[in-house]
Amino acid sequence: DDVAIIYRQFPLTSLHQYAQKAAEASECAGEQGKFKEMHDMLFISGVDGGVTAFKGYASKLGLNTAQFDSCLDSGKYVKEVSKDLNAGQSVGIRGTPGFMIIGEDGKGTPVSGAQPFNVFQQIIDSKL
């Protein structure tokens, strides 16, 4: 069986003042083929420094910083991030990390928050 992992944005701005811009930063990095790397750096290094920190992360990742900075400053991905958040909420995602496990029938089961592997395994097994 195949498994696909698709990232969607779910910034919890009520808990993290820089969550929105962090989500946008990963999308801007994605323009240069470094979405996952920026995603990982944001989780490892944190988001407390806001836009200044995100621009530093872009430099560390070897991105074209002028392109990245312009993208982030422009708000280019504000609507896309908002669309992802709304879509997640509409299917039952309530926190991060959040997952939707979808079976071959196209029906999904949401999993919100950090959960042990057996939670995922039970859902996956029920969809096979």
Side-chain angles (χ1 to χ4, degrees), residues 18-19 21-30 32-69 72:
Y18 301 119
K21 276 301 192 188
E24 293 174 43
S26 65
E27 295 294 340
C28 290
Q32 298 182 50
K34 299 277 185 164
F35 176 91
K36 184 180 181 316
E37 292 83 353
M38 179 62 80
H39 169 272
D40 292 350
M41 186 164 283
L42 289 164
F43 272 92
I44 292 167
S45 300
V47 299
D48 287 339
V51 169
T52 301
F54 308 152
K55 290 179 178 182
Y57 299 164
S59 179
K60 288 180 184 177
L61 291 173
L63 298 178
N64 174 324
T65 55
Q67 179 184 340
F68 178 86
D69 293 357
L72 190 59

Side-chain angles (χ1 to χ4, degrees), residues 5-22:
I5 297 177
I6 301 169
Y7 286 91
R8 296 288 187 248
Q9 303 294 349
F10 201 82
L12 298 174
T13 54
S14 62
L15 299 176
H16 307 288
Q17 65 177 326
Y18 301 119
Q20 174 69 32
K21 276 301 192 188

Side-chain angles (χ1 to χ4, degrees), residues 74-105:
S74 74
K76 179 179 183 177
Y77 288 103
V78 169
K79 287 182 182 177
E80 183 174 325
V81 169
S82 179
K83 186 175 98 178
D84 282 356
L85 176 66
N86 291 334
Q89 290 172 331
S90 73
V91 297
I93 301 298
R94 299 289 174 251
T96 58
F99 304 90
M100 180 62 69
I101 300 173
I102 303 171
E104 290 180 0
D105 62 1

